[in-house]
Amino acid sequence: GEDVEQSLFLSVREGDSSVINCTYTDSSSTYLYWYKQEPGAGLQLLTYIFSNMDMKQDQRLTVLLNKKDKHLSLRIADTQTGDSAIYFCAESFSGNTPLVFGKGTRLSVIA
Amino acid sequence: DGGITQSPKYLFRKEGQNVTLSCEQNLNHDAMYWYRQDPGQGLRLIYYSQIVNDFQKGDIAEGYSVSREKKESFPLTVTSAQKNPTAFYLCASSPQTGTKNGYTFGSGTRLTVV
């Protein structure tokens, strides 16, 4: 079955790197995504990675994908207070199946 | 600018009343979705629609109904049969159900039933 797991909380100091982890169970996923949700708002797509890639870098964001272990991570370099939010990973599949989301990781950045 | 609009942002209703949440998009997306978000529960799929005049139940469809009469609009009705309707509701859209662009989300409607 489809399931996406994330730890619920992460706390880091401003300027440090944050690493948010995600595991998924379905090896047939095509794309994997990271979304950010600020308080009281909708979800904003941060980045995505195609399932045949190992790594993708976009400014302060680095996504690592280990298909063997079904593990996805999001690294935020030089974490700022504005990065405080809930981060969701999600996976998509070929065909017409909707995205499956994890429960989200709440990142708190301490000044 | 293209986008997806949910209204209202906050909604209060008395227990036992039906209430309809609006979701409109001008992105020309084929697929639209409704999610419910509760603290610590993440996003749970209520209903989705891949094309006009067609929709499918998600994981928690009981007590909800939808319609898709126009491509741009996908309203959600929370009926009196929904046992615990107080939650944050998110609408999303996408060109298809699985694309590299993922979903575009609205800003949400917080429903409180008293």
Side-chain angles (χ1 to χ4, degrees), chain A residues 3-16:
Chain A
D3 200 9
V4 177
E5 299 282 343
Q6 299 179 242
S7 54
L8 293 182
F9 301 99
L10 177 65
S11 181
V12 299
R13 293 199 176 276
E14 190 175 18
D16 288 351

Side-chain angles (χ1 to χ4, degrees), chain A residues 10-103:
Chain A
L10 177 65
S11 181
V12 299
R13 293 199 176 276
E14 190 175 18
D16 288 351
S17 292
S18 307
V19 179
I20 302 170
N21 295 302
C22 171
T23 58
Y24 59 98
T25 57
D26 198 315
S27 58
S28 66
S29 57
T30 53
Y31 290 99
L32 294 128
Y33 308 87
W34 284 104
Y35 283 86
K36 177 183 181 182
Q37 184 184 33
E38 297 186 357
L43 275 67
Q44 170 195 358
L45 180 65
L46 283 179
T47 187
Y48 67 90
I49 187 167
F50 191 48
S51 57
N52 68 353
M53 296 170 64
D54 297 324
M55 186 181 90
K56 181 178 180 181
Q57 187 152 2
D58 184 1
Q59 299 182 331
R60 291 191 298 123
L61 305 179
T62 303
V63 179
L64 295 177
L65 175 60
N66 180 330
K67 285 197 73 176
K68 175 176 171 289
D69 295 336
K70 298 190 181 71
H71 183 265
L72 180 74
S73 68
L74 173 69
R75 179 177 180 269
I76 305 173
D78 188 25
T79 310
Q80 302 299 307
T81 55
D83 295 323
S84 293
I86 301 175
Y87 291 81
F88 291 91
C89 67
E91 57 176 337
S92 72
F93 309 91
S94 59
N96 294 322
T97 307
L99 299 191
V100 176
F101 287 85
K103 292 186 176 180

Side-chain angles (χ1 to χ4, degrees), chain B residues 53-66:
Chain B
N53 293 322
D54 187 45
F55 49 82
Q56 288 79 39
K57 292 182 179 180
D59 300 318
I60 57 163
E62 185 175 348
Y64 299 97
S65 65
V66 293

